[in-house]
């Protein structure tokens, strides 16, 4: 591995430094700087990032837990590849957990302030979608607001257990709510798909407000199907395979 700019050393080599290394390595994997199947060792990362071994070891273990790396019997780690089914299953799992979250929210009830917060997030998305075409900045804003809304779903449930599970599931490779939004940004159907997704957002919030748990859960399960459709389209478009944003090179068709 060639040397690159060192990450800044913190006063402690614990959590914050580990997170920095974890984010940097994830970025390098998705950008193709660490290719699928490439062997990664602690010493090589020390040389490349200029960080001591303690946070690097912890970051590599976390990336293995996320599923981006696999530990080798000979030592070190390797960048994983994923089948289309692997990714579809992760998206399905997120939809299942989110469905449970909104069903519990509807059954248990949600405070007006939290409902208003979620509605304000969707209002901001509506403003973005008023444009007939979306530029890169608009798509970036959508990704941020979409992540914010999906993050609120756990809070709507009132369950700390579900909030933790949603965070865990969302960190699985390619399973985040906007995992395939940016890669579709330049397609003619991009805005149309976001409009459909936004309507589902509105419908699930309405179902929660009306205390219709089964309806809310069904909508979120269907919402995950839209993400799976984006996945299928992305895998089958050869011009997207080199997209560095979502690491399409790591996904192989079934």
């Amino acid at each position: 591995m060639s040397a690159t700019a060192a990450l800044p050393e913190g006063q402690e080599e614990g959590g914050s430094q580990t997170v920095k290394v974890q984010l940097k390595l994830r970025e390098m994997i998705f950008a193709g700087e660490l290719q699928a199947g490439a062997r990664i060792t602690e010493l090589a990362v020390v040389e490349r990032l200029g960080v001591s071994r303690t946070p690097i070891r912890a970051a590599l273990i976390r990336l293995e837990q996320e599923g981006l790396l696999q530990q080798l019997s000979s030592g070190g780690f390797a960048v994983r590849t994923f089948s289309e089914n692997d990714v579809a299953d992760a998206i399905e799992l997120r939809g299942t957990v989110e469905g449970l979250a909104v069903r519990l929210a509807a059954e248990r009830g949600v405070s007006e302030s939290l409902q208003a917060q979620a509605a304000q997030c969707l209002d901001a998305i509506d403003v973005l979608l008023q444009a007939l075409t979306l530029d890169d900045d608009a798509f970036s804003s959508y990704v941020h607001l979409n992540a914010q809304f999906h993050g609120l779903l756990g809070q709507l449930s009132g369950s700390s257990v579900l909030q933790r599970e949603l965070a865990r599931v969302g960190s699985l490779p390619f399973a985040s709510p906007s995992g395939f939004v940016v890669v579709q940004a330049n397609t003619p159907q991009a805005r149309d798909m976001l409009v459909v997704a936004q309507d589902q957002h509105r419908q699930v919030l309405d179902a929660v407000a009306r205390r219709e748990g089964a309806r809310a859960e069904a909508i979120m399960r269907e919402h995950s199907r839209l993400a799976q459709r984006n996945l299928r389209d992305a895998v089958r478009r050869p011009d997207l395979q080199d997209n560095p944003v979502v690491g399409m090179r790591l996904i192989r068709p079934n």
Side-chain angles (χ1 to χ4, degrees):
M1 294 185 181
S2 59
T4 189
L7 292 174
E9 281 284 357
Q11 302 226 336
E12 297 181 1
E13 293 188 343
S16 63
Q17 190 72 343
T18 295
V19 170
K20 289 178 184 178
V21 175
Q22 181 182 359
L23 293 175
K24 181 62 179 176
L25 288 174
R26 186 191 296 136
E27 175 189 320
M28 291 164 67
I29 291 169
F30 284 159
E33 294 179 47
L34 298 173
Q35 297 182 2
R39 185 169 180 267
I40 303 172
T41 65
E42 291 177 19
L43 287 176
V45 179
V46 167
E47 179 182 334
R48 184 155 188 168
L49 300 184
V51 179
S52 64
R53 294 182 67 167
T54 300
I56 287 173
R57 183 179 302 113
L60 290 171
I61 291 172
R62 288 186 182 184
L63 289 171
E64 182 196 20
Q65 292 169 344
E66 277 187 29
L68 277 177
L69 300 179
Q70 60 184 14
Q71 193 159 17
L72 301 174
S73 58
S74 58
F77 297 83
V79 178
R80 286 189 59 197
T81 59
F82 304 88
S83 71
E84 184 181 339
N85 280 342
D86 291 335
V87 181
D89 289 347
I91 294 171
E92 180 79 13
L93 179 59
R94 176 173 58 80
T96 299
V97 180
E98 287 182 334
L100 175 59
V102 295
R103 177 167 65 81
L104 291 181
E107 292 173 353
R108 295 172 175 176
V110 179
S111 69
E112 290 185 5
S113 62
L114 197 53
Q115 289 187 61
Q117 189 177 347
Q120 289 169 5
C121 181
L122 296 185
D123 289 343
I125 293 177
D126 281 340
V127 172
L128 286 176
L129 296 181
Q130 287 176 0
L132 295 179
T133 58
L134 304 181
D135 58 19
D136 290 343
D137 287 341
F139 268 99
S140 295
S141 296
Y142 177 86
V143 167
H144 171 74
L145 290 167
N146 189 45
Q148 181 180 335
F149 177 76
H150 280 261
L152 284 167
L153 296 180
Q155 295 182 48
L156 290 174
S157 74
S159 168
S160 60
V161 172
L162 279 180
Q163 289 182 58
R164 288 195 300 270
E165 287 305 301
L166 281 172
R168 185 186 64 81
V169 171
S171 70
L172 292 173
F174 310 103
S176 70
S178 297
F180 290 91
V181 168
V182 177
V183 78
Q184 297 284 69
N186 296 319
T187 65
Q189 303 84 8
R191 179 184 172 277
D192 293 343
M193 297 194 78
L194 298 188
V195 170
V196 172
Q198 176 70 347
D199 182 64
Q200 291 174 334
H201 290 159
R202 288 287 186 191
Q203 291 298 321
V204 77
L205 204 56
D206 178 72
V208 168
R210 293 176 183 271
R211 311 294 290 269
E212 297 172 348
R215 175 179 166 229
E217 183 172 23
I219 292 169
M220 286 314 301
R221 296 293 297 271
E222 187 61 30
H223 192 60
S224 73
R225 299 293 196 281
L226 189 61
Q228 291 179 13
R229 175 181 168 184
N230 289 341
L231 161 67
R232 290 192 298 270
D233 290 346
V235 169
R236 283 157 179 74
R237 284 187 57 191
D239 57 309
L240 296 180
Q241 291 301 308
D242 290 328
N243 190 296
V245 178
V246 295
M248 289 301 300
R249 285 174 291 246
L250 300 180
I251 304 176
R252 59 186 186 277
N254 292 330

